[in-house]
């Protein structure tokens, strides 16, 4: 959700009807909450949290540390670039603790750290936090979140995927998850963003699926729970008519969800938006032919698309979870 959507009554009616769990796209990120030095702004996050409370929705928190240089507030980078590491550690612990405590029991699951692994190398990204504090940045964030929001699930969230080009990313995430366990860092689950592409024919699917299962099997063997945190299926390079594109998006989405739902450790399925018009991908990765993308279950006119039916079918066909009544 985005605060901009709150004024769109049709949109919010759709969210109300379709979702049991909601997540703010940006409103709890450092670049919003800590946009200005020495003050925390919880107003946008509270607006969405209030909506969730009023409508009886569970709320996920996203994210206490989006560990990429481009998303760290500029004033923070400027102030701490040459400061002693201990000063930055104090800021981070204070920030994470205050934010986790502010939202408190309203949030049942937090993406504590987001995208700290460099997909090109599998190492930790080159960010101010990682440069100055190394792995301790992550340890501090998870420890502070656990201390100040002990009721919540604490998640490491990233976008490693089943694509062949994602092998180093997957290996890096596995290494990180192993280290969390080895050093008893309190991490409960892996958030698998699941921004997938609809390109490629279905015959390549089984190879991708085999590689991916190898990764997920190792993650669950370490005792992590799984979440799909940001599902969408991009038709960036899919040709043909709108209905061909929609069918391809639905088919790939269904295959992906069937595979993911076969893991009983999977707890949540969140889409990154419901209506194509609001999808972040329209700006982030537009189609070469300039036509609007169709990556979400509802079209710009709020009509259900084949992806909506594919999600419903995948959920209906899924093995039951232990937590299901
Ligand atoms: C995106 C939002 O959807 C956009 O509105 C914003 O401009 C940039 O961030 N992975 C994440 C999300 O973890 O936080 C990103 O959200 C999408 C990719």
């Amino acid at each position: 959700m985005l605060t901009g959507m709150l004024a769109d009554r049709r949109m919010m009616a759709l969210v109300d009807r379709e979702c049991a769990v909601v997540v703010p796209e940006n409103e709890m990120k450092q670049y919003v909450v800590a946009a200005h030095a020495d003050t925390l702004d919880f107003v946008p996050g509270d607006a969405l949290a209030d909506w969730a409370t009023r409508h009886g929705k569970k709320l996920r928190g996203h994210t206490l540390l989006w560990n990429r240089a481009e998303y760290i507030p500029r004033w923070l980078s400027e102030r701490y670039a040459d400061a002693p590491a201990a000063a930055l550690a104090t800021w981070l612990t204070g920030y994470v603790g205050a934010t986790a405590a502010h939202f408190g029991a309203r949030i049942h699951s937090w993406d504590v750290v987001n995208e700290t692994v460099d997909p090109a190398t599998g190492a930790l990204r080159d960010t101010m936090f990682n440069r100055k504090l190394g792995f301790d940045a992550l340890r501090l964030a998870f420890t502070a979140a656990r201390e100040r929001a002990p009721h919540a699930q604490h998640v490491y969230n990233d976008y490693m995927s089943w694509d062949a080009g994602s092998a180093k990313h997957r290996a890096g995430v596995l290494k990180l998850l192993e280290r969390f366990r080895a050093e008893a860092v309190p991490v409960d689950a892996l958030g698998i963003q699941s921004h997938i592409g609809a390109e490629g024919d279905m015959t390549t699917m089984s190879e991708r699926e085999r590689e991916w299962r190898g990764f997920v099997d190792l993650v669950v063997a370490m005792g992590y729970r799984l979440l799909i945190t940001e599902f969408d299926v991009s038709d960036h390079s899919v040709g043909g008519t709108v209905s061909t594109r929609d069918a391809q998006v639905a088919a790939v989405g269904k295959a992906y969800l069937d595979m993911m739902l076969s893991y009983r450790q999977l707890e949540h399925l969140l889409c990154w938006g419901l209506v194509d018009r609001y999808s972040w991908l329209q700006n982030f990765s537009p189609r070469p032919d300039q036509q609007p993308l169709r990556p979400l279950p509802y079209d710009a006119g709020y009509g259900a698309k084949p992806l909506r039916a594919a999600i419903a079918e995948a959920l209906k066909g899924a093995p039951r979870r232990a937590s299901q009544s």
Side-chain angles (χ1 to χ4, degrees):
M1 288 201 297
L2 295 158
T3 39
M5 288 175 189
L6 291 173
D8 180 344
R9 293 179 59 184
R10 283 175 79 197
M11 180 67 212
M12 297 317 288
L14 195 61
V15 177
D16 198 14
R17 200 183 74 210
E18 296 284 78
C19 305
V21 187
V22 294
V23 61
E25 270 186 50
N26 297 311
E27 290 75 358
M28 296 180 185
K29 290 172 176 169
Q30 264 177 23
Y31 66 72
V32 174
V33 175
H36 305 289
D38 306 317
T39 172
L40 299 183
D41 182 3
F42 295 119
V43 172
D46 280 340
L48 292 177
D50 288 350
W51 186 91
T53 305
R54 279 203 310 280
H55 291 81
K57 306 298 179 191
K58 283 192 170 183
L59 181 64
R60 299 205 65 245
H62 177 82
T63 167
L64 294 167
L65 177 57
W66 193 359
N67 208 358
R68 292 178 64 157
E70 60 270 45
Y71 298 117
I72 295 171
R74 178 184 296 235
W75 71 265
L76 190 68
S77 310
E78 284 171 4
R79 182 180 291 181
Y80 288 98
D82 300 318
L88 182 63
T90 301
W91 183 87
L92 182 62
T93 304
Y95 173 81
V96 169
T99 306
H102 173 83
F103 291 106
R106 293 180 290 173
I107 290 188
H108 77 287
S109 174
W110 263 114
D111 291 334
V112 177
V113 176
N114 194 35
E115 300 180 356
T116 198
V117 173
D118 185 339
T121 61
L124 294 185
R125 282 182 193 271
D126 183 23
T127 71
M128 175 180 64
F129 288 111
N130 290 341
R131 266 196 308 278
K132 293 190 84 82
L133 300 170
F135 182 77
D136 275 348
L138 317 179
R139 188 201 322 273
L140 285 174
F142 277 106
T143 305
R146 185 67 108 211
E147 267 168 24
R148 303 294 293 278
H151 61 280
Q153 176 186 56
H154 298 105
V155 179
Y156 174 67
N157 194 50
D158 210 329
Y159 62 87
M160 64 284 133
S161 77
W162 64 357
D163 293 337
S166 191
K168 281 200 176 138
H169 200 178
R170 289 193 299 263
V173 169
L174 278 178
K175 228 172 99 189
L176 181 66
L177 295 178
E178 276 162 13
R179 185 154 182 202
F180 286 148
R181 284 291 183 256
E183 301 196 21
V185 178
V187 184
D188 303 310
L190 175 65
I192 298 169
Q193 292 185 6
S194 308
H195 295 292
I196 64 172
E199 292 80 16
D201 66 83
M202 301 304 275
T203 54
T204 61
M205 208 70 86
S206 56
E207 174 59 17
R208 286 200 269 172
E209 186 168 330
R210 210 174 46 76
E211 294 264 327
W212 178 248
R213 280 190 182 276
F215 168 78
V216 180
D217 289 348
L218 291 172
V219 173
V220 296
M222 285 188 258
Y224 290 102
R225 309 290 295 175
L226 305 171
L227 299 89
I228 293 180
T229 49
E230 308 182 14
F231 182 60
D232 49 28
V233 187
S234 176
D235 60 336
H236 177 272
S237 313
V238 181
T241 61
V242 160
S243 57
T244 323
R245 283 160 51 192
D246 283 359
Q248 175 79 7
V249 162
V252 174
K254 172 80 164 52
Y256 182 79
L257 292 179
D258 284 346
M259 176 186 62
M260 291 302 296
L261 286 160
S262 72
Y263 289 92
R264 285 167 197 267
Q265 294 86 348
L266 183 75
E267 293 184 358
H268 284 309
L269 163 55
L270 287 98
C271 295
W272 207 240
L274 282 184
V275 170
D276 288 337
R277 181 147 69 87
Y278 288 118
S279 170
W280 73 297
L281 292 168
Q282 307 291 4
N283 291 324
F284 180 77
S285 178
R287 280 177 66 89
D289 64 9
Q290 304 307 316
Q291 287 188 43
L293 289 151
R294 301 179 62 83
L296 290 173
Y298 284 84
D299 65 22
Y302 301 85
K305 294 161 52 197
L307 182 60
R308 163 71 176 75
I311 295 172
E313 254 176 69
L315 289 172
K316 256 186 249 152
R320 294 180 78 75
R321 278 36 347 218
S323 56
Q324 243 173 351
S325 52

